[in-house]
Amino acid sequence: MRRRTRSLLGVALAGLAAIACTTPATPASAADEPFDVLVFSRTAGFRHDSIPVGTQTIRDLGAANNFTVTATEDPTTFTTGTLSRYEAVVFLNTTGDVLNDSQQAAFEAYIGAGGGFVGVHAAADTEYGWSFYGNLVGAYFAAHPAIQPATVTVQDRAHPATAHLPRAWNRTDEWY
């Protein structure tokens, strides 16, 4: 069932940055199995003021979608035994070098065993010297672009993360 809960988590968290504040959460169906998420928000660089709001938003999503949330900034949580309790780990606006070598090894083993990962915003401004993490995130933060308007073309309006959006969604944001 691990694959199904990860897909539910993906649905619940996919639109977090863009839509969590604009769309009310809906209750999970009785058939959804509960799962556990670890939200990690340690910073060793810039600290975003939005971390408490983001943590609460994920807690609210959990309450509405049948998953529990443990929030921490304690890197000693990153052990093989502790991480195995969670179906997903969310790096919420982490910055800088936040894990030591043994903690990184435990996280790599967790991902290798099928654990889920969600990186929110500044997660791309984390662990520049750890190639595994860089590959997991997909890219590192380089600089803030100008805030500018854009029209987003919504390709899949049937997906729960985008069903409420118009086909052409006009938004002013800091586009990466």
Side-chain angles (χ1 to χ4, degrees):
M1 190 51 68
R2 193 169 189 112
R3 178 170 299 204
R4 180 165 180 237
T5 58
R6 271 200 310 251
S7 69
L8 291 172
L9 177 65
V11 168
L13 295 178
L16 178 63
I19 64 173
C21 295
T22 61
T23 305
T26 58
S29 75
D32 292 339
E33 291 187 27
F35 57 98
D36 303 298
V37 173
L38 177 66
V39 175
F40 184 60
S41 58
R42 183 176 187 209
T43 58
F46 182 81
R47 184 163 185 86
H48 288 80
D49 292 337
S50 63
I51 290 172
V53 172
T55 301
Q56 186 57 51
T57 299
I58 297 170
R59 287 185 193 282
D60 293 346
L61 286 168
N65 292 283
N66 209 21
F67 64 90
T68 62
V69 175
T70 301
T72 188
E73 295 197 2
D74 183 1
T76 64
T77 303
F78 283 74
T79 66
T80 304
T82 302
L83 291 174
S84 69
R85 298 180 206 157
Y86 300 98
E87 279 71 32
V89 175
V90 178
F91 275 52
L92 176 64
N93 283 335
T94 53
T95 58
D97 187 8
V98 294
L99 299 175
N100 68 27
D101 291 345
S102 64
Q103 294 156 354
Q104 290 174 357
F107 187 64
E108 287 185 36
Y110 166 80
I111 295 296
F117 169 77
V118 176
V120 177
H121 189 61
D125 189 25
T126 304
E127 296 291 348
Y128 289 91
W130 181 19
S131 63
F132 173 86
Y133 183 81
N135 289 328
L136 183 65
V137 172
Y140 284 111
F141 172 81
H144 287 280
I147 295 174
Q148 54 194 309
T151 299
V152 177
T153 302
V154 179
Q155 297 292 320
D156 181 0
R157 294 190 59 231
H159 191 280
T162 56
H164 68 287
L165 295 174
R167 183 156 309 284
W169 184 36
N170 295 310
R171 184 121 178 118
T172 299
D173 211 328
E174 190 175 63
W175 298 102
Y176 290 84

